[in-house]
């Protein structure tokens, strides 16, 4: 009789378990779909390689879902930065450009391809700060939390990235 009771109890719980599993799967799908374009874009511009960007995106979501059942965008971004750190140093500012003393061809039209080539030439930390701020519109507080730097360093990194981009685009 005990196995019959357990069977009945399990049968009653089965729809609940299936619903919970489907809800989890749906949530993971929603989280993935809501963040995949951003994660892939950042991964691509950080590596300049489609295959590596896809691997980074996969690893980022696996890391995020292992850390939290319901990761938010910041959690996912921190997981991406962790994955990027396996490939390149992130966190140290390296560019020290001087402000321009002349204004030559600053107002000319820039082709998107030229801008993209210039962005991937930036050092990794400055590139990530530029992408997060000027492309993804993150504020400096969020960038600082995500990368593990101060807001002042984030602002300085963005300033240096913009100066370096101008320098690269004039050439």
């Amino acid at each position: 009789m005990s196995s019959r009771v357990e069977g009945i109890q399990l049968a009653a719980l089965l729809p609940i378990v299936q619903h919970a599993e489907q809800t989890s799967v749906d949530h993971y799908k929603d989280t993935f779909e809501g963040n995949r374009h951003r994660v892939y874009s950042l991964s691509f511009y950080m590596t300049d390689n489609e295959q590596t960007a896809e691997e980074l995106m996969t690893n980022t979501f696996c890391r995020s879902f292992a850390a939290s059942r319901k990761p938010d965008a910041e959690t996912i971004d921190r997981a991406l930065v962790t994955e990027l750190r396996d490939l390149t140093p992130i966190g140290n500012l390296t560019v020290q450009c001087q402000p321009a003393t002349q204004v030559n061809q600053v107002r000319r039209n820039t082709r998107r391809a030229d801008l993209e080539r210039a962005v991937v030439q930036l050092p990794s930390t400055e590139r990530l700060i530029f992408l997060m701020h000027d492309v993804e519109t993150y504020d400096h507080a969020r960038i600082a939390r995500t990368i593990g730097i101060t807001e002042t360093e984030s602002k300085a990194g963005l300033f240096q990235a913009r100066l370096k981009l101008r320098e690269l685009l004039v050439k």
Side-chain angles (χ1 to χ4, degrees):
M1 173 132 179
S2 137
S3 66
R4 183 169 185 253
V5 172
E6 288 174 11
I8 292 171
Q9 288 174 340
L10 288 176
L13 291 175
L14 187 59
I16 296 168
V17 170
Q18 288 173 333
H19 175 71
E21 287 174 355
Q22 187 58 46
T23 301
S24 293
V25 169
D26 290 344
H27 177 73
Y28 288 140
K29 284 181 184 177
D30 291 344
T31 301
F32 177 77
E33 288 301 321
N35 293 281
R36 73 183 173 99
H37 294 292
R38 183 187 76 259
V39 171
Y40 178 81
S41 177
L42 289 170
S43 298
F44 178 76
Y45 283 109
M46 289 302 294
T47 63
D48 196 27
N49 183 293
E50 291 178 13
Q51 184 176 357
T52 305
E54 288 177 10
E55 290 172 11
L56 270 173
M57 184 177 70
T58 300
N59 294 344
T60 296
F61 281 105
C62 287
R63 182 181 293 272
S64 298
F65 291 140
S68 171
R69 290 190 45 167
K70 297 181 179 184
D72 61 3
E74 279 196 57
T75 302
I76 293 167
D77 288 343
R78 281 193 297 276
L80 173 61
V81 170
T82 300
E83 292 296 325
L84 286 169
R85 281 193 170 115
D86 289 343
L87 301 175
T88 186
I90 304 270
N92 296 322
L93 301 176
T94 58
V95 176
Q96 292 298 320
C97 295
Q98 297 300 314
T101 56
Q102 289 182 322
V103 180
N104 292 341
Q105 300 178 354
V106 173
R107 300 261 182 225
R108 70 179 173 89
N109 289 334
T110 302
R111 290 184 356 202
R112 180 182 175 138
D114 294 336
L115 179 59
E116 289 174 347
R117 290 291 79 195
V119 167
V120 298
Q121 291 178 51
L122 292 172
S124 56
T125 301
E126 286 85 348
R127 184 179 344 150
L128 188 57
I129 291 168
F130 173 81
L131 291 168
M132 288 180 157
H133 187 275
D134 284 7
V135 177
E136 298 298 331
T137 67
Y138 293 3
D139 61 23
H140 288 288
R142 181 171 175 183
I143 294 168
R145 283 191 310 270
T146 302
I147 298 177
I149 59 176
T150 67
E151 286 185 50
T152 302
E153 289 172 320
S154 177
K155 291 173 184 176
L158 179 62
F159 179 74
Q160 290 297 321
R162 289 174 176 167
L163 287 177
K164 186 67 175 174
L165 281 175
R166 287 182 189 142
E167 187 180 291
L168 292 167
L169 290 169
V170 168
K171 292 179 183 178

